[in-house]
Amino acid sequence: SLRYGDQQPEDMEPKQIKEGYLVKKGTVLNSWKVVWVVLSEDGLEFFKRKTDNAPKGMIPLKGAVLTSPCQDFSKRTFVFKLRTAKNQDHYFQASHLEERESWVKNIKRVITCLQGDRKFTRKSTRRSIRLPDTINLSELYILMRDQEDGVKELKLEKEKRVYNHCFTGGTVVDWLISKDKARNRHEALMLATGLLTEGFLQPAGDLSKEAVEGGAESAVLDDPDALYYFADSGFFCEGYSSDEDVILKEEFRGNIIKQGCLLKQGHRRKNWNVRKFILRDDPAYIHYYDPTKGDENPLGSIHLRGSVITAVEFVPEAKRYDVDGNLFEIITSDDTHYFLQATTPEERKEWIKAIHTVSKTGK
């Protein structure tokens, strides 16, 4: 347990550091389920529902080891693994890259503080061990994603397939050198490989996937035929297909504006489920997915052009324990009503603002 020094008794309660929805792999059954997770100074508790008082389980973090990215499940992205001091493995999946990075950073700090018997502090930072201490891959990734000054995402055609929102390995290398992040192509390839192993970049197409699996010194190829994409971009690949497919794909062409998990009320049975939402700007769509599934097909989409978004205090026909606070409603131009719940007042405000902007500007 932590040594708190001469603190008052009321401070003995472990402090909450981060909370939110994650998908967790069952320890007995192999099924993945959404859980509400609370990180405190000594452990990670997970609950079946956000409103539950008693946790389903508690993972002690003293002596635990965190692995991220965890590549044990080929169809699942943004997974990290926690191995306890007693060698029990727990797998969690975040809904998008920034979310995983935030969880990983905070859990690593808790583990480090417990090792040194120190109080949790947000000041301590851990660097990736594979690269020099001066390199911060998260910061580098943000620069690469910059709309004006970053790596340009292109629509490229290879072997009768169209790859949207991607770029070549050579482009990444050129960009790193031009921005003085690397002195030569070899150094740039090492940096790009770091970005790939940490899950910031993903391989698209056969050539780049083979290089990753082949275990070469550099997993990123400095090659005009090796394609990559940003982990949280709107990347998709299509064959030459019928007009119907083109219309469907049109929905996914916009830039991702915001993504994350929200509680959504079902239309028919009025029950509430956690869904992963991705908001895109032009065309104005929000797609929702089952976060426990590894597939890329949405359960549904909401066309936001001309819709009205408002905060609401209660939901008609809501069932018993279902929801409490942070609710908002989307009314589409064809008068369909969607009720959603954010986890905090700030999150609700951010979603309403983002959806409102897209509904006005996107086509």
Side-chain angles (χ1 to χ4, degrees):
S1 65
L2 291 172
R3 282 205 296 266
Y4 289 89
D6 299 323
Q7 290 190 309
Q8 296 303 309
E10 63 262 26
D11 288 340
M12 297 295 279
E13 199 57 30
K15 206 163 65 235
Q16 280 189 17
I17 291 153
K18 185 174 171 62
E19 53 181 5
Y21 290 114
L22 287 170
V23 174
K24 183 179 187 301
K25 181 177 178 287
T27 35
V28 186
L29 302 168
N30 280 338
S31 56
W32 293 74
K33 290 204 161 61
V34 175
V35 287
W36 177 254
V37 182
V38 177
L39 171 66
S40 63
E41 290 173 322
D42 55 0
L44 200 68
E45 290 182 319
F46 53 97
F47 299 77
K48 192 174 174 185
R49 277 189 291 266
K50 181 175 183 267
T51 46
D52 288 355
N53 292 324
K56 228 176 122 173
M58 156 86 173
I59 302 167
L61 291 176
K62 186 155 189 152
V65 177
L66 188 145
T67 307
S68 174
C70 168
Q71 313 282 19
D72 296 8
F73 308 95
S74 58
K75 289 209 165 66
R76 291 182 182 272
T77 46
F78 316 130
V79 174
F80 61 91
K81 175 169 90 170
L82 264 175
R83 173 166 286 180
T84 66
K86 292 183 174 170
N87 284 331
Q88 275 185 319
D89 288 343
H90 296 273
Y91 296 93
F92 291 94
Q93 181 181 21
S95 67
H96 57 286
L97 188 79
E98 285 90 341
E99 184 185 54
R100 185 189 69 190
E101 293 305 296
S102 170
W103 277 104
V104 164
K105 190 170 72 181
N106 281 296
I107 294 169
K108 276 187 173 173
R109 285 181 190 166
V110 170
I111 292 170
T112 311
C113 291
L114 286 164
Q115 270 169 352
D117 242 356
R118 295 196 311 278
K119 286 276 300 169
F120 176 86
T121 161
R122 295 193 185 277
K123 289 193 189 76
S124 65
T125 52
R126 297 275 300 275
R127 300 277 181 207
S128 170
I129 44 170
R130 273 163 292 213
L131 294 164
D133 274 357
T134 49
I135 305 287
N136 183 327
L137 291 176
S138 301
E139 279 171 23
L140 190 59
Y141 180 71
I142 290 163
L143 293 173
M144 288 177 90
R145 293 285 279 132
D146 188 274
Q147 297 281 325
E148 303 297 315
D149 216 19
V151 173
K152 298 283 173 279
E153 294 177 287
L154 304 167
K155 184 173 179 174
L156 299 169
E157 293 186 25
K158 299 270 177 215
E159 299 135 18
K160 295 194 176 173
R161 305 186 86 182
V162 182
Y163 294 88
N164 297 272
H165 295 283
C166 69
F167 39 84
T168 68
T171 311
V172 176
V173 170
D174 293 342
W175 184 87
L176 288 165
I177 292 170
S178 73
K179 298 286 178 239
D180 294 328
K181 301 292 174 197
R183 286 169 300 193
N184 52 48
R185 295 189 90 75
H186 177 74
E187 227 176 68
L189 280 170
M190 288 301 107
L191 264 182
T193 298
L195 286 160
L196 190 84
T197 21
E198 289 293 319
F200 292 107
L201 298 184
Q202 300 282 337
D206 298 338
L207 188 66
S208 54
K209 284 179 184 166
E210 280 162 20
V212 173
E213 284 154 19
E217 184 198 7
S218 159
V220 176
L221 298 178
D222 186 358
D223 187 311
D225 288 332
L227 305 182
Y228 301 90
Y229 63 94
F230 293 126
D232 56 352
S233 76
F235 170 79
F236 62 94
C237 165
E238 52 192 322
Y240 297 121
S241 53
S242 68
D243 291 345
E244 268 180 35
D245 275 3
V246 171
I247 292 164
L248 178 71
K249 289 284 186 274
E250 189 65 34
E251 290 183 14
F252 299 97
R253 286 195 199 283
N255 291 314
I256 292 179
I257 301 300
K258 190 167 173 56
Q259 52 188 332
C261 284
L262 293 165
L263 208 52
K264 175 186 174 292
Q265 187 188 44
H267 269 108
R268 285 195 302 278
R269 288 166 49 212
K270 306 292 181 200
N271 53 340
W272 293 78
N273 286 299
V274 175
R275 297 289 177 236
K276 171 182 166 174
F277 283 83
I278 298 183
L279 173 66
R280 291 186 171 87
D281 64 351
D282 192 21
Y285 273 92
I286 190 163
H287 294 89
Y288 52 94
Y289 302 75
D290 180 345
T292 66
K293 300 274 189 286
D295 62 13
E296 290 157 23
N297 300 320
L299 295 172
S301 63
I302 307 171
H303 191 196
L304 296 169
R305 180 82 186 131
S307 58
V308 177
I309 302 94
T310 49
V312 292
E313 291 317 308
F314 69 96
V315 174
E317 300 181 79
K319 290 185 182 171
R320 26 181 234 293
Y321 64 76
D322 278 345
V323 285
D324 180 26
N326 307 320
L327 298 159
F328 63 101
E329 178 182 20
I330 300 173
I331 306 172
T332 62
S333 56
D334 64 0
D335 203 36
T336 309
H337 293 240
Y338 294 90
F339 289 103
L340 306 165
Q341 185 192 37
T343 56
T344 63
E346 297 76 43
E347 191 185 59
R348 171 169 79 167
K349 205 192 292 183
E350 283 169 18
W351 272 107
I352 290 175
K353 188 179 167 190
I355 296 170
H356 179 75
T357 307
V358 165
S359 72
K360 294 281 171 285
T361 54
K363 61 177 183 282

